[in-house]
Amino acid sequence: MSARTRSPKFSLLFAVLLIASCLAAKPSLAAAAYSPGSAQPEPILVPELQTSIEVEGRIVPAKYVQLSPLISGQVTDLLVQEGDQVQAGTLLMVVGDRQQLLADIQTAKYELLTAQQELDNLYEVAALQLAEAEQRLAVAEKAEVFAGDKVRSTAAATPEWRIEQARVNLQLAENALERAEENLQKVEKRRKNKDGIWYWFLDDKDFRNMLRGLERLKTNAERRVIDAQEKYADLQKPVDQVDLAIAQSDWETAQANVAEAAREVESYQRGPDPEVVVLLESRIHSAEARLVAAEAALNDHELVAPIAGKIVELKPKAGEWVNPGEPVVVIADDADWVVETEDLTEIDVINIHIGQAATVELDALPDVLLSGEIQSIKDLAEEKRGDVTYTVVLKLLETDLRLRWGMTTLVLFE
């Protein structure tokens, strides 16, 4: 341990500990005094003095980082100054042409978006085509059912009850026509008899309106008679082979349409063309790889704060050249301090443990005593000036706004 002048407080503490040790050893001294009759006096035993462990240390931040660029190049953007407080993720400086890297990222993003949209559209079109094919299949199936019914109805013989019903309907239509004709004749006869009693209530205009209405009724009755006659005649006819052949041909066509629509549905159910899908997926993977590479290149050109803290050292200026592995920025969290000492020898280190209390005095602030406790003890030793020493870190339980990185301290382990 290097020699140093201890403070008056520690000198006084040492004297008190020495006196207390002597008083505690008084019975041993009396027992060791000269005894009459002995050939010679017994030796006086001096008690072993127990002292505290004192070592030098330095104030360092509990958390700090040294940052170096990953590539060599010119500092094109310097966004902070020494002494600035920054947050984790703050961009500190840029090395090289950042604008070109940003352009490469945008190009890769656009290609990725375009390829993904084309793939999405491909699946959307396939789904639409499937829905349209299913609709065509439904229409074809209905047409096939109708054509089959037409064939069966054309080939089947007409039941007697339908023929009889058609005959009765014809008779009713003829009777209605006969009554319409009789009514029309009656009104015409009454109109001609100018001296008849009907002219007491009606004039010629009324008769004309009545006649027009009866003529319409007669015309409708005649049309119904003609329809009934045709229906009755058709039902009496034998199966028309020409109509049957036409109906069968229509049914076969409908069945072929159903089969074609079913094939379309099955084809669209398999989804888009696999070759086109593979091509678009390949474009997507390629664009993703280019985007990752472009973003990684941008990260290599950017120096970003990994922790929140104060910039305590900033070496380069804008426009200067930097090299990989060369520390250019130091960030420290000045809200939390520890004391680091490398002076614990192998003899002393076995007498301390993690969590043990300690007192810290600062050379620059002799009126300030800070309490702390051991936070870590390094397992690996170093050889310094012939001594085997270990590094110990103490967590300060108190702090002072005047603390600065690198201040020297005297540490007393209790």
Side-chain angles (χ1 to χ4, degrees):
M1 180 178 66
S2 60
R4 58 172 288 165
T5 302
R6 292 184 174 83
S7 67
K9 290 182 179 180
F10 277 87
S11 298
L12 178 60
L13 180 60
F14 180 83
V16 172
L17 292 172
L18 180 59
I19 294 170
S21 299
C22 292
L23 290 175
K26 187 174 180 180
S28 299
L29 291 175
Y34 172 75
S35 174
S38 60
Q40 57 181 355
E42 295 182 5
I44 298 174
L45 299 178
V46 179
E48 182 179 353
L49 183 63
Q50 299 296 324
T51 61
S52 300
I53 302 173
E54 297 178 5
V55 293
E56 289 185 344
R58 287 188 180 274
I59 296 290
V60 294
K63 185 189 299 183
Y64 67 92
V65 291
Q66 287 185 329
L67 303 179
S68 304
L70 297 175
I71 61 170
S72 61
Q74 190 179 36
V75 178
T76 54
D77 290 300
L78 191 59
L79 307 174
V80 293
Q81 298 178 358
E82 197 167 291
D84 287 352
Q85 290 285 344
V86 296
Q87 298 297 320
T90 301
L91 179 62
L92 307 176
M93 67 176 63
V94 178
V95 179
D97 189 356
R98 184 170 184 262
Q99 296 304 317
Q100 180 59 46
L101 296 172
L102 291 174
D104 293 342
I105 290 176
Q106 291 303 318
T107 300
K109 286 183 177 179
Y110 177 76
E111 170 62 16
L112 177 59
L113 178 63
T114 301
Q116 187 63 57
Q117 286 180 341
E118 290 185 14
L119 183 61
D120 294 341
N121 291 339
L122 186 66
Y123 278 102
E124 290 176 2
V125 170
L128 179 61
Q129 290 174 332
L130 174 60
E132 292 175 347
E134 290 175 339
Q135 184 177 6
R136 288 194 294 271
L137 176 60
V139 172
E141 288 175 339
K142 289 182 179 179
E144 189 271 337
V145 171
F146 178 80
D149 291 342
K150 182 67 178 295
V151 169
R152 287 185 288 274
S153 64
T154 303
T158 304
E160 289 296 330
W161 66 268
R162 292 190 60 186
I163 296 176
E164 179 61 20
Q165 184 180 34
R167 187 193 66 77
V168 172
N169 290 337
L170 175 58
Q171 185 63 49
L172 293 174
E174 289 174 346
N175 294 339
L177 176 60
E178 184 178 347
R179 287 194 299 273
E181 290 175 344
E182 289 177 355
N183 291 332
L184 179 61
Q185 291 174 359
K186 288 180 181 179
V187 173
E188 287 178 344
K189 183 177 180 181
R190 289 170 181 169
R191 180 188 177 192
K192 292 177 181 179
N193 185 10
K194 302 291 184 180
D195 298 330
I197 191 173
W198 291 99
Y199 272 97
W200 292 3
F201 308 98
L202 302 173
D203 55 16
D204 192 64
K205 181 179 179 181
D206 294 331
F207 275 111
R208 287 197 303 273
N209 290 336
M210 291 178 61
L211 289 173
R212 281 195 293 271
L214 292 172
E215 286 173 353
R216 284 195 296 272
L217 291 175
K218 177 184 175 184
T219 301
N220 292 336
E222 289 172 345
R223 187 179 300 113
R224 284 193 291 272
V225 168
I226 293 172
D227 292 342
Q229 289 173 342
E230 292 177 352
K231 182 68 174 178
Y232 181 59
D234 289 340
L235 293 176
Q236 288 180 317
K237 291 180 180 179
V239 174
D240 191 326
Q241 297 301 318
V242 175
D243 290 344
L244 180 59
I246 293 174
Q248 289 176 336
S249 176
D250 292 343
W251 191 20
E252 292 173 356
T253 300
Q255 289 173 331
N257 291 338
V258 169
E260 177 64 23
R263 283 192 294 270
E264 283 188 358
V265 169
E266 183 180 359
S267 173
Y268 289 129
Q269 283 176 339
R270 290 194 291 267
D273 187 342
E275 294 183 358
V276 179
V277 171
V278 170
L279 178 62
L280 290 176
E281 288 178 343
S282 176
R283 283 180 56 190
I284 290 173
H285 295 328
S286 177
E288 288 175 338
R290 288 198 298 272
L291 178 59
V292 170
E295 290 176 340
L298 180 62
N299 291 335
D300 291 345
H301 285 71
E302 293 181 340
L303 204 61
V304 177
I307 64 171
K310 181 180 181 180
I311 297 179
V312 296
E313 186 176 28
L314 181 63
K315 292 183 178 180
K317 296 181 176 59
E320 291 185 349
W321 193 270
V322 293
N323 296 306
E326 176 185 293
V328 293
V329 180
V330 179
I331 302 175
D333 182 0
D334 57 359
D336 194 11
W337 299 97
V338 297
V339 175
E340 188 176 280
T341 174
E342 301 175 351
D343 288 350
L344 266 294
T345 67
E346 58 185 327
I347 296 174
D348 292 331
V349 77
I350 61 174
N351 295 315
I352 65 173
H353 57 84
I354 293 176
Q356 181 175 338
T359 303
V360 178
E361 179 184 356
L362 293 92
D363 289 350
L365 304 170
D367 58 331
V368 176
L369 290 179
L370 301 176
S371 60
E373 64 180 23
I374 298 178
Q375 181 173 294
S376 65
I377 303 173
K378 191 173 182 180
D379 292 328
L380 183 62
E382 297 181 5
E383 188 171 343
K384 297 172 58 178
R385 296 183 296 277
D387 290 332
V388 176
T389 63
Y390 294 83
T391 299
V392 177
V393 177
L394 292 90
K395 177 181 179 182
L396 289 179
L397 304 179
E398 303 173 280
T399 187
D400 190 290
L401 295 177
R402 295 170 292 178
L403 294 182
R404 293 293 182 270
W405 193 347
M407 283 184 172
T408 56
T409 67
L410 179 66
V411 180
L412 173 62
F413 294 99
E414 300 174 2

